[in-house]
Amino acid sequence: MSERIIYADRINQLPPYLFARIDEMKEEAKKSGIDLIDLSIGDPDIPTPQTIIEELYDAVKDPKTHRYPTYDGMLSFREAVAGWYKRIKDVKLDPVNEVVALIGSKEGIAHIPFGFVNPGDYVLVPDPAYPVYLNSTILAGGKPHVMPLLRENDFLPDLSRIETEILKKTKLLFLNYPNNPTSAVAKREFFEEVVDFAKEHDIIVCHDNPYSEIVFDDTRAPSFLEIDGAREVGIEFNSLSKTCNMTGWRIGYAVGSSKVLEGLLKVKTNIDSGAFEAIQRAGIKALEIADKVASENSRIYSKRRDVLCRGLEIDPPSATFYLWAPVPDGYDSFSFTEALLSKCGILVTPGIGFGKYGEGFVRFALTESVQRIEEAVERVKKEFIFKQ
Ligand SMILES: *Cc1c(COP(=O)(O)O)cnc(C)c1O
């Protein structure tokens, strides 16, 4: 690259992208001709349901969908989101002021710090975590303050440990349950504690909930907004990506505090021009059938989970399509990932890729068929023993 082309400081402040090395390893493995079983991908392998696709065909043929959408989303889409929240979570939302359409929830997560964080302000981010919370904080000029998610604390942050000096300058708190990568689920009591904490310290809560419907056995993952007082202190991000296998479609939503959503919209109106209306119309259809689709998905993932967990003798998670497994003795997360690839032809994600508190773990994604997962178990069992 030319020496005159220099990135902005904020780009240099982003942590190194560890997955680039994993991508390289994957390419090398593929070239060598091995039969690679890729359990590193956090993206459903199950296709989008046909009814949703047909709705898109119809919608895209209607010229009314071809023009600029409204910034906050079609009213009919926002009503469908509110309807889903009422039906599934018993949360009553005003579709006009308490729902905003997003171009995937990642878009909203990435933009929210720009609406609320001044240079030097802190944002509380979990670790290990989806990297966007930390990176969007940095891009917006804020300071991430890491909250370790430890196994002995059921992968919940210990809010009482955050210093008062930090809290005085904290604007936002990111949370995500059911959690990627640990698959932990938070109970209502935890969210109640979060609401009190947010009120006491004037912090805006951003709860990221894309796995709310990928739950097993009798698990129920609450919405943050089910808690009394939650909508005064924060918002929830959700999306059709994982619920209805629509990651490529880029449609999500933020719900909750109208004041916070207004701040998000002030940013968005200057950056994007909303989600394609044909996709929003398909999204309305998806929300109508989302409970059926999600329970079918959960049935599929739970079978895969059972095969992998029984085979490797790992405790089964009760939500998400991930398995967060401590690495066998003698390895760290990266060296174990390399060993699994070279000895077994299996690719997983090293925990360190989700932050320093992810060290000592790897993430298996249940995004391959039962047959492939059975094959993976056979290969791994011959080489490694997992500790509990
Ligand atoms: C997949 C995922 C998202 C992104 O969802 P989109 O709606 O597709 O942008 C957000 N948060 C977490 C934790 C995820 O795993």
Side-chain angles (χ1 to χ4, degrees):
M1 195 172 78
S2 160
E3 274 168 30
R4 294 207 209 167
I5 298 178
I6 296 164
Y7 294 132
D9 293 342
R10 68 178 74 88
I11 296 293
N12 297 322
Q13 282 160 15
L14 295 172
Y17 185 64
L18 289 172
F19 296 116
R21 177 67 199 123
I22 307 280
D23 290 344
E24 252 173 59
M25 279 161 50
K26 180 168 161 178
E27 283 315 304
E28 283 163 23
K30 276 194 191 152
K31 269 196 212 131
S32 75
I34 62 159
D35 174 26
L36 180 73
I37 304 178
D38 189 350
L39 303 180
S40 72
I41 300 178
D43 188 347
D45 58 312
I46 309 161
T48 308
Q50 200 58 33
T51 5
I52 302 171
I53 297 172
E54 312 231 314
E55 182 67 21
L56 177 69
Y57 286 159
D58 284 345
V60 83
K61 279 185 262 175
D62 177 357
K64 285 207 289 288
T65 65
H66 299 177
R67 311 187 68 188
Y68 283 124
T70 49
Y71 290 112
D72 51 356
M74 296 161 77
L75 182 58
S76 52
F77 177 78
R78 288 180 286 143
E79 283 168 347
V81 171
W84 182 88
Y85 263 92
K86 181 75 194 94
R87 242 178 23 254
I88 308 297
K89 304 292 176 195
D90 200 21
V91 168
K92 208 167 166 303
L93 295 167
D94 168 9
V96 176
N97 297 309
E98 294 179 325
V99 183
V100 167
L102 300 171
I103 310 169
S105 57
K106 180 179 184 180
E107 179 259 300
I109 296 163
H111 283 146
I112 192 86
F114 288 87
F116 296 95
V117 176
N118 285 317
D121 285 347
Y122 282 101
V123 174
L124 304 178
V125 297
D127 179 341
Y130 185 61
V132 185
Y133 316 134
L134 182 107
N135 293 349
S136 65
T137 298
I138 294 173
L139 292 176
K143 288 196 210 160
H145 180 80
V146 162
M147 305 179 293
L149 304 187
L150 307 176
R151 198 185 196 196
E152 58 265 31
N153 205 15
D154 299 325
F155 299 111
L156 298 170
D158 184 350
L159 301 173
S160 69
R161 295 199 57 153
I162 305 165
E163 300 87 331
T164 320
E165 284 312 301
I166 303 278
L167 292 175
K168 276 187 201 153
K169 286 185 276 173
T170 296
K171 294 302 289 284
L172 300 180
L173 160 64
F174 279 110
L175 292 169
N176 160 229
Y177 295 97
N179 185 257
N180 171 15
T182 69
S183 60
V185 178
K187 297 204 169 63
R188 289 179 60 106
E189 295 78 58
F190 171 72
F191 288 133
E192 285 164 5
E193 191 194 319
V194 169
V195 170
D196 291 342
F197 172 83
K199 280 190 180 153
E200 185 182 342
H201 300 287
D202 273 326
I203 293 171
I204 298 167
V205 179
C206 301
H207 183 237
D208 183 22
N209 205 3
Y211 298 97
S212 63
E213 307 315 299
I214 311 293
V215 286
F216 311 128
D217 315 319
D218 292 321
T219 308
R220 189 180 172 279
S223 159
F224 176 64
L225 295 175
E226 286 174 34
I227 310 308
D228 281 340
R231 85 180 67 202
E232 281 96 69
V233 297
I235 58 171
E236 179 162 275
F237 294 101
N238 208 325
S239 137
L240 292 162
S241 288
K242 317 288 164 49
T243 310
C244 290
N245 315 323
M246 293 175 71
T247 49
W249 296 57
R250 312 315 301 135
I251 183 81
Y253 29 96
V255 298
S257 159
S258 53
K259 199 83 198 285
V260 176
L261 294 178
E262 251 173 64
L264 176 59
L265 273 172
K266 282 187 198 297
V267 179
K268 276 174 63 60
T269 48
N270 288 292
I271 294 182
D272 64 65
S273 298
F276 183 21
E277 289 201 345
I279 304 249
Q280 292 189 56
R281 272 170 50 178
I284 295 170
K285 177 59 78 183
L287 285 158
E288 280 166 18
I289 61 168
D291 23 336
K292 272 216 309 274
V293 180
S295 49
E296 176 60 14
N297 283 343
S298 297
R299 202 181 56 78
I300 295 170
Y301 294 128
S302 74
K303 279 194 183 156
R304 298 171 178 180
R305 171 199 69 162
D306 291 344
V307 170
L308 192 60
C309 291
R310 281 188 201 134
L312 302 184
E313 297 182 43
I314 296 171
D315 288 340
S318 55
T320 78
F321 44 69
Y322 305 113
L323 200 73
W324 185 241
V327 300
D329 287 331
Y331 291 98
D332 64 20
S333 69
F334 207 89
S335 62
F336 181 61
T337 300
E338 283 177 321
L340 260 186
L341 185 60
S342 62
K343 291 193 177 157
C344 308
I346 294 166
L347 191 63
V348 296
T349 312
I352 189 79
F354 300 100
K356 81 173 189 197
Y357 292 94
E359 187 49 275
F361 292 84
V362 289
R363 190 191 74 177
F364 289 86
L366 301 166
T367 48
E368 282 271 9
S369 67
V370 163
Q371 289 76 7
R372 292 297 277 167
I373 290 178
E374 278 168 352
E375 166 72 21
V377 167
E378 286 314 308
R379 294 189 202 170
V380 177
K381 261 167 54 178
K382 290 195 191 109
E383 300 284 348
F384 301 104
I385 299 170
F386 282 87
K387 53 181 190 215
Q388 280 295 307

